[in-house]
Amino acid sequence: MRTLTLLAPGDEFTPPGLELFDATPLIAGVAWFTKPVLLALLSTILVIGFCWSAFGNPKLVPRGVQNVGEMGYMFVRDQVARPFLGKDADRWMGLLLSMFFLVWVWNLMGVIPGLQFPVASHIAFPVVLALSVYFLKIYLGIKHQGAIGYFKNMMFPPGLPKPIYVLLAPIELLSNMIIAPFTHAVRLFANMFAGHIILAFFSLVGFWFLFEKLTPLGAPLGVVGVIMTIAMTGFEMFIQFLQAFLFAMLAAMYIGNSLHPDH
């Protein structure tokens, strides 16, 4: 493994690498049951429990969990669903709200002490969720526009000079059928992957230089590592929320384009 020499010769600091994402089985003989799978199941249970507590028996005057749930509902409705789905927003709120909270909790697992692993930093999880949206948008597009109409509206938007379609049509097909689902998954994965490595790096710098190699040079570096860990944790929590919002927003946009091709 490559090492970085930050102190005197022989004093070597080894930065964290891909070993952070090793998914070893938690139970011998059960290869699929790894830490990411456990945290994904825990996230699902937490989201179901939260939604059940918030909306299972709503009161006229919301309190406690219901109040938090309604704030989340209004945020997703006003910022995600209505801008892209219009009059169909309420119909799709169950899916979009669940997706937003699930991805957010997935991401928050990366900053919870003792867990500290964002589920979406394993590419399989955002890929499965993005593919679900992808197949849903194709199904809705064909259902509401017809198979020919769906691809025609996608590749040949009206109002453009016909020679433009020679270049535009294959670009639109590639963008909608390949690039869009790919970026939908990879954007979430890449941000959580990079954020986890950055937090691990600064926390290791703080621990290593303060406790493993406490020297006149190392102590200030250790303090910087601790400060940066705290600052980057706050920034990462913002990114975790933002990525959940963007994932749900893109899902709403894809669904809306299938339902309302003219938009």
Side-chain angles (χ1 to χ4, degrees), residues 82-103:
R82 285 183 174 174
F84 297 101
L85 297 172
K87 60 184 178 60
D88 293 316
D90 291 340
R91 178 184 173 191
W92 294 97
M93 273 301 299
L95 173 65
L96 297 174
L97 185 68
S98 302
M99 188 175 296
F100 169 76
F101 277 126
L102 180 62
V103 174

Side-chain angles (χ1 to χ4, degrees), residues 205-256:
V205 166
F207 177 84
W208 199 81
F209 283 102
L210 284 177
F211 299 104
E212 295 292 329
K213 292 292 181 181
L214 184 57
T215 66
L217 175 62
L221 289 175
V223 172
V224 171
V226 172
I227 294 174
M228 287 300 299
T229 299
I230 296 172
M232 292 305 299
T233 298
F235 181 69
E236 182 65 10
M237 292 178 70
F238 168 72
I239 296 298
Q240 289 166 348
F241 169 82
L242 181 62
Q243 288 304 312
F245 166 70
L246 290 175
F247 195 93
M249 184 188 71
L250 287 172
M253 183 179 72
Y254 296 150
I255 293 172

Side-chain angles (χ1 to χ4, degrees), residues 21 40 51 57 90 107 196 224 231 235:
F21 304 94
C51 291
N57 186 25
D90 291 340
N107 298 343
H196 190 51
V224 171
F235 181 69

Side-chain angles (χ1 to χ4, degrees), residues 2-252:
R2 184 174 64 89
T3 59
L4 298 178
T5 303
L6 300 181
L7 294 177
D11 292 323
E12 295 180 335
F13 170 74
T14 303
L18 295 180
E19 71 279 356
L20 291 172
F21 304 94
D22 289 342
T24 56
L26 298 178
I27 301 176
V30 186
W32 62 268
F33 192 65
T34 60
K35 183 176 181 179
V37 173
L38 176 63
L39 295 182
L41 292 173
L42 178 61
S43 300
T44 303
I45 294 172
L46 288 174
V47 171
I48 292 174
F50 172 78
C51 291
W52 186 275
S53 299
F55 308 116
N57 186 25
K59 306 296 183 183
L60 184 61
V61 179
R63 293 183 179 179
V65 178
Q66 182 184 343
N67 194 41
V68 176
E70 290 192 3
M71 290 175 61
Y73 183 95
M74 288 187 292
F75 172 79
V76 174
R77 182 194 64 188
D78 296 339
Q79 304 300 323
V80 175
R82 285 183 174 174
F84 297 101
L85 297 172
K87 60 184 178 60
D88 293 316
D90 291 340
R91 178 184 173 191
W92 294 97
M93 273 301 299
L95 173 65
L96 297 174
L97 185 68
S98 302
M99 188 175 296
F100 169 76
F101 277 126
L102 180 62
V103 174
W104 193 12
V105 175
W106 274 4
N107 298 343
L108 285 174
M109 290 294 174
V111 295
I112 297 177
L115 300 178
Q116 294 173 310
F117 190 94
V119 175
S121 66
H122 258 257
I123 186 65
F125 294 95
V127 162
V128 169
L129 209 55
L131 284 177
S132 300
V133 176
Y134 175 71
F135 290 120
L136 176 62
K137 80 166 187 175
I138 293 176
Y139 166 76
L140 291 173
I142 294 176
K143 178 181 178 181
H144 289 269
Q145 305 172 45
I148 296 177
Y150 176 62
F151 288 99
K152 178 182 176 182
N153 292 328
M154 177 195 304
M155 299 170 63
F156 302 98
L160 297 176
K162 291 184 179 180
I164 296 295
Y165 293 127
V166 176
L167 179 63
L168 182 63
I171 292 177
E172 287 294 326
L173 182 64
L174 180 66
S175 174
N176 284 276
M177 302 304 294
I178 298 178
I179 296 177
F182 175 79
T183 57
H184 197 195
V186 170
R187 179 185 290 105
L188 174 59
F189 158 74
N191 277 275
M192 293 304 101
F193 182 91
H196 190 51
I197 288 183
I198 290 172
L199 288 181
F201 174 79
F202 284 116
S203 61
L204 186 59
V205 166
F207 177 84
W208 199 81
F209 283 102
L210 284 177
F211 299 104
E212 295 292 329
K213 292 292 181 181
L214 184 57
T215 66
L217 175 62
L221 289 175
V223 172
V224 171
V226 172
I227 294 174
M228 287 300 299
T229 299
I230 296 172
M232 292 305 299
T233 298
F235 181 69
E236 182 65 10
M237 292 178 70
F238 168 72
I239 296 298
Q240 289 166 348
F241 169 82
L242 181 62
Q243 288 304 312
F245 166 70
L246 290 175
F247 195 93
M249 184 188 71
L250 287 172

